[in-house]
Amino acid sequence: FQFFFFQYILIVMDESNNAPPDAVDGNTDALASVQGTTTATGQQTASEPITPELVKLHFSIASAFKTFDAEDKNQVEVSELGTIVRSLGCCPSEEDLREIILECEEEESTGSIKYERFEPVMTRILKQRKFMSASLDELVEAFKVLDEKGNGFLDPDVFAEHMTSKGEAFSEEEIHEMFGTAVDIHENKLYYEEHAIITALDDTLYLVKE
């Protein structure tokens, strides 16, 4: 989401002459892989020194993955991988995401991604600080570009129109996914500061050193 949103913001700012801008339950098998993981090519990696930062990193990855593992099979649908990656503070482009999926998939695609293949890929991405998302302040400032009246919220319909007509347009599915967590269903308003708190970068996930 953030990749496309900031692409849109850059267009808006150009047009306006540079206006200012769940805890995991029963997922011990996944967490056990901290001591030695299997790469996407099936090779066993050497054990890494276990540090509090690395444990937190793997726990965060396992938690995000587990949220979408509805059948508790340590696998998720390919279509859900983008949401999982972005929930971990990364904002890859669609092209980047396709590369991540290819790296995580089996040699013959099954439509699902196994945790044992996802964890080492996501661990590397976070340790290399790739696709880092924006900070809270950066997100709020970006939303304020659209909030010309300073209301503190955006009209979802107007926001959706912007996001589907500027830059690399959102799909209807992506808009629906975002609005599921961003829009107040009682008032039908997008309170962007609250949403920014949810989607902003968690710096602590990037503290593990290579």
Side-chain angles (χ1 to χ4, degrees):
F1 162 70
Q2 290 186 21
F3 173 80
F4 297 124
F5 179 60
F6 277 100
Q7 183 184 54
Y8 168 73
I9 291 299
L10 288 175
I11 293 172
V12 171
M13 293 178 73
D14 181 62
E15 291 177 350
S16 60
N17 296 318
N18 295 317
D22 5 278
V24 177
D25 183 14
N27 204 25
T28 54
D29 290 341
L31 288 173
S33 60
V34 171
Q35 299 186 43
T37 60
T38 302
T39 66
T41 59
Q43 297 178 328
Q44 186 72 15
T45 64
S47 296
E48 296 183 71
I50 299 176
T51 64
E53 293 82 9
L54 185 61
V55 170
K56 179 178 180 179
L57 180 71
H58 280 262
F59 188 81
S60 296
I61 294 171
S63 296
F65 193 92
K66 184 71 174 177
T67 300
F68 293 87
D69 183 13
E71 297 182 6
D72 200 25
K73 293 183 176 180
N74 271 339
Q75 64 183 33
V76 297
E77 297 298 316
V78 170
S79 60
E80 296 171 327
L81 204 69
T83 303
I84 297 172
V85 171
R86 289 170 181 130
S87 75
L88 287 165
C90 299
C91 50
S93 67
E94 289 303 302
E95 182 178 350
D96 291 328
L97 183 58
R98 283 192 291 271
E99 291 180 3
I100 294 172
I101 290 172
L102 285 174
E103 192 171 357
C104 292
E105 279 186 315
E106 305 285 347
E107 290 185 12
E108 294 185 12
S109 179
T110 62
S112 299
I113 300 293
K114 294 182 178 179
Y115 182 79
E116 65 191 47
R117 296 178 70 88
F118 175 70
E119 187 203 67
V121 173
M122 198 65 221
T123 298
R124 188 191 72 245
I125 288 172
L126 290 173
K127 288 174 69 175
Q128 293 177 350
R129 305 175 69 85
K130 295 181 69 175
F131 318 126
M132 289 182 66
S133 60
S135 68
L136 175 60
D137 289 342
E138 289 170 331
L139 275 176
V140 171
E141 287 305 312
F143 275 112
K144 284 182 177 179
V145 173
L146 303 181
D147 183 16
E148 297 178 355
K149 296 182 179 180
N151 293 321
F153 63 83
L154 300 173
D155 182 300
D157 294 332
V158 174
F159 183 70
E161 183 179 347
H162 284 306
M163 299 306 291
T164 54
S165 62
K166 300 284 188 178
E168 189 170 345
F170 269 38
S171 67
E172 184 175 332
E173 181 180 349
E174 288 168 330
I175 290 291
H176 180 74
E177 178 186 316
M178 176 198 168
F179 282 7
T181 57
V183 176
D184 186 313
I185 59 174
H186 301 293
E187 299 184 30
N188 193 36
K189 295 176 180 177
L190 196 165
Y191 289 98
Y192 53 82
E193 290 198 29
E194 295 177 9
H195 181 62
I197 291 172
I198 297 172
T199 59
L201 167 68
D202 178 1
D203 287 310
T204 61
L205 285 181
Y206 293 89
L207 293 179
V208 182
K209 303 298 182 182
E210 286 285 11

